Amino acid sequence: MGMSSSQARLLSLTSRMHDIEYKAQKLEAQKLQMANESAHVYQKYEDALNKTKIQGMTIGADGAAAFIDASLLVLEGNAGDDNLAGTIFLKNTYNDKIYVSRMNADKFKLPEDGNLGTEIEFMDRLGYTTTILGFDTVANSNPVTNYTGVATTKGTQTTREVPVLNPNWGYQPTASAPVSSSAIPVSTVSTFDANETYVINSKEDLVALQNLANSGVSTKGVHFILGADIDMSGVSWKGIGETEANAFQGIFDGNGHTISNLSGTGGLFGFVTGNATATTDDNTGITVNADYGIVSNVILQNVNINGAGKTQTGALINKNKNGYVENCYTSGEVFGMQWAGGLVGFNERGVITSSTSNVNVDSTGTCVGGFVGHDTGGIIQHSISTGDVNATQRTIGGFIGHENPGGNSFIFECATTSKVTGGYNKGIFFGQVDGGSTAKVIGCEYVASSGVPVVGLWANNITSNGNDPSLTAGSTRTVTTTNITMPSKTSIKSNIMMAIDKSGAIVPSNFETTLDNWLNQFYKEDTRYSNGVLIADALKLASINDYITEYLKTGNNKGVVDSVINDVNRGTTTNSASYQKNYEQTVDFEYTGYYSNDATQAKKTTTVEIGSTEDIANNLYTVLKNNGHTELKY
């Protein structure tokens, strides 16, 4: 029996409803599938992001580990509460790379190429025990490092006789005066104007003056003034006014500043020509008039002049012709063929007053003096020589090597303590005095030297004012001398580096090299002595070392570390001046610096407590596992 029309319609509607329900279910299924796929994609994206995130592990008070976000900005200390700038390093566990902040890279002087090595190598370089994550560290029973310095030692005291020199004779220290802002730096000009004042603030300015004068630019009547201390290290010096044709004729005021480490073939000035005249009084000394060719208030420290092949060489001036020298000081070494002197090589009718030469003078020729090598018609008063004089030939004097009185020389109240050695015609004060005119010598003193006469040849050519003796053996006094024995340079360097480590100061990556160069200025042997006697400046370092070792032992006087760092970085000794007072050398040279060859260095020591067997086993297992030993079982 067939379906009725109503039944057929009902069946059709039911079929449609099923079809609609199926399509709806299919749509829901497709939506669910899409949602699942999106979640999967997001999960993959989130996993990828997590792989790029740097996390730092921290240990809480309860010993539990926690991980925090440690982005590079946080690592560099630029943002957030979780500032990790003080952290030594972070390790990327995906690629084993080590990340350090710039602060710690500088502090531990890490290599600039970024090659820090493995974690273990890196930690070993810093002096730490590597901590393996997830296991106990080896316990440190003394977390504060102990330091042991190498001290300066004092020798036994001895007594000796030193001359009593008039404190008003010789160079008198003067305070530096401010230089007018209108003064023109020498290195900025190509010619000079006698109506202007030119300032010398640097080695470049001083070299510029030398080059301009030597090229023929006139200096007559021009004023020059030092505006700062100048270190001439590294400059090959010839002398301002290297030839007589280009002689310096200006007015040079050292202004109490120091020119140090001048080295070359001539003194600070080659030739000086002036118009100095002087009236003399047998009782009161001299009165000077001069308009140009004037050099005053100059301090030359640690000169090294080699005048091989030259006929006149001096630390301050090679040849002074009618020039006027006042209140100048020289120290160091001068070598000359002949006419070589600690202050002036050849003084021709020049006037010199109130100056001191502490220069050791050597020569293979003649006419060699601790103050002036050869003097003819010169006028000198209130001046002193203390350096040693040696020559292989003749005419060698502690104060003046050869005196030719042409023009009536006048030597008033001068003194020498110089030791004289070498050839013949040598004298404690004069090597030789020629006749022909008057060489008047009044109130001068010397220190007796065994086997050496006061005047080497023709002492009868000296006259006086008829009342005072020409030359007398000056009085002496007994002083107590203490020899200071310095540790080796390596030991002092180690002391300083340990002090820097203790203080936590950050120094440049090239600091150790710079420190070596800085120490070299102290570790020079004084050629006047044997057995490793250092130059006088070594006493400054001896005093600094006392403060350094005290800081290493007790932590007192941390300021000495900062001052030494500043001095080393700047190549000076001024910042540490307040720590140089223990062994100041007196005018009588009552302290002598020696250095030790002892190789002992300063050390840092930290007591550690060995961990348990289980801790060590855990550490070993983890290290071996990290290095590819997959067969291990634990």
Side-chain angles (χ1 to χ4, degrees), residues 443-465:
C444 293
E445 297 182 353
Y446 62 90
V447 175
S449 180
S450 177
V452 180
V454 179
V455 179
L457 185 65
W458 297 330
N460 57 321
N461 290 321
I462 295 175
T463 64
S464 70
N465 62 0

Side-chain angles (χ1 to χ4, degrees), residues 466-481:
N467 297 317
D468 297 321
S470 301
L471 286 160
T472 59
S475 59
T476 61
R477 67 186 180 92
T478 302
V479 299
T480 301
T481 302

Side-chain angles (χ1 to χ4, degrees), residues 190-192 207-220 222 224 239-249:
S190 58
T191 188
F192 300 120
V207 170
L209 174 56
Q210 173 188 245
N211 293 344
L212 288 170
N214 293 351
S215 68
V217 175
S218 175
T219 57
K220 188 171 183 178
V222 180
F224 301 91
I240 301 167
E242 186 182 13
T243 65
E244 194 158 5
N246 296 325
F248 178 79
Q249 294 181 288

Side-chain angles (χ1 to χ4, degrees), residues 160-221:
R160 61 194 177 100
E161 298 296 310
V162 298
V164 178
L165 299 176
N166 190 317
N168 296 316
W169 296 1
Y171 170 78
Q172 303 294 313
T174 57
S176 302
V179 178
S180 171
S181 59
S182 63
I184 304 168
V186 175
S187 57
T188 65
V189 301
S190 58
T191 188
F192 300 120
D193 184 340
N195 295 315
E196 301 286 355
T197 297
Y198 297 87
V199 64
I200 299 166
N201 286 321
S202 64
K203 68 170 64 176
E204 289 76 18
D205 285 330
L206 198 58
V207 170
L209 174 56
Q210 173 188 245
N211 293 344
L212 288 170
N214 293 351
S215 68
V217 175
S218 175
T219 57
K220 188 171 183 178

Side-chain angles (χ1 to χ4, degrees), residues 43-55 94:
Q43 184 62 49
K44 290 177 66 176
Y45 176 70
E46 187 178 33
D47 289 345
L49 285 177
N50 286 335
K51 288 182 179 180
T52 63
K53 182 168 69 173
I54 301 174
Q55 291 189 349
Y94 286 95

Side-chain angles (χ1 to χ4, degrees), residues 543-551 556-557 560 578-579 582:
S543 178
I544 292 171
N545 187 55
D546 278 356
Y547 285 99
I548 289 286
T549 52
E550 177 67 19
Y551 172 69
N556 296 332
N557 293 311
V560 68
S578 61
Y579 301 100
N582 290 3

Side-chain angles (χ1 to χ4, degrees), residues 350-369:
V351 181
I352 305 172
T353 183
S354 301
S355 294
T356 298
S357 168
N358 182 26
V359 174
N360 298 327
V361 185
D362 281 287
S363 173
T364 56
T366 62
C367 304
V368 184

